[in-house]
Amino acid sequence: MGTLTYDSTLSADFDDRTLAHLQLVIGAKLRRNEAFYFSWKDDESIGDGRSVIWLHPTIPISFKYFGSRQAAINRAWIDELMLAANTPAGLHLVPEPAPNGMDGE
């Protein structure tokens, strides 16, 4: 499990593969100076609720991975996450689609 830390005050755990995809999408948005919401379902151990943060380029964020290997990136998942991030509701986790060109067609 990797950890996303926001503004040194909030930490959320995600598996390393998910965190790698989130890092790419969040990084792309912040690099363009775009602020947006990011929401996720909390783990049952902390109440099984939902958390939402406002991501802004001036607020520090860090990504800490448990494993030392970089996860393989699914471009189709990046595209789906970016579509979500560009809506008024903001970024949220969507199911990982089959990689482009590997959907059985």
Side-chain angles (χ1 to χ4, degrees):
M1 285 300 238
T3 303
L4 178 148
T5 303
Y6 185 68
D7 197 22
S8 303
T9 59
L10 180 129
S11 293
D13 294 330
F14 298 93
D15 69 75
D16 280 0
R17 181 166 170 73
T18 300
L19 190 60
H21 286 77
L22 291 172
Q23 178 184 344
L24 291 173
V25 171
I26 291 169
K29 298 276 292 171
L30 296 179
R31 199 170 34 255
R32 293 189 300 252
N33 287 315
E34 297 176 8
F36 59 102
Y37 286 111
F38 172 41
S39 62
W40 64 91
K41 187 177 182 304
D42 295 325
D43 189 72
E44 290 179 21
S45 66
I46 61 168
D48 201 25
R50 195 169 66 93
S51 293
V52 180
I53 56 176
W54 178 249
L55 290 164
H56 189 276
T58 62
I59 300 172
I61 186 169
S62 67
F63 302 87
K64 171 71 174 149
Y65 295 90
F66 178 77
S68 60
R69 294 183 185 207
Q70 189 161 356
I73 300 301
N74 178 344
R75 182 64 200 182
W77 198 12
I78 295 292
D79 292 343
E80 292 294 320
L81 290 166
M82 190 60 81
L83 284 173
N86 288 329
T87 66
L91 177 61
H92 58 277
L93 291 174
V94 296
E96 182 175 4
N100 286 337
M102 306 211 33
D103 57 5
E105 294 185 66

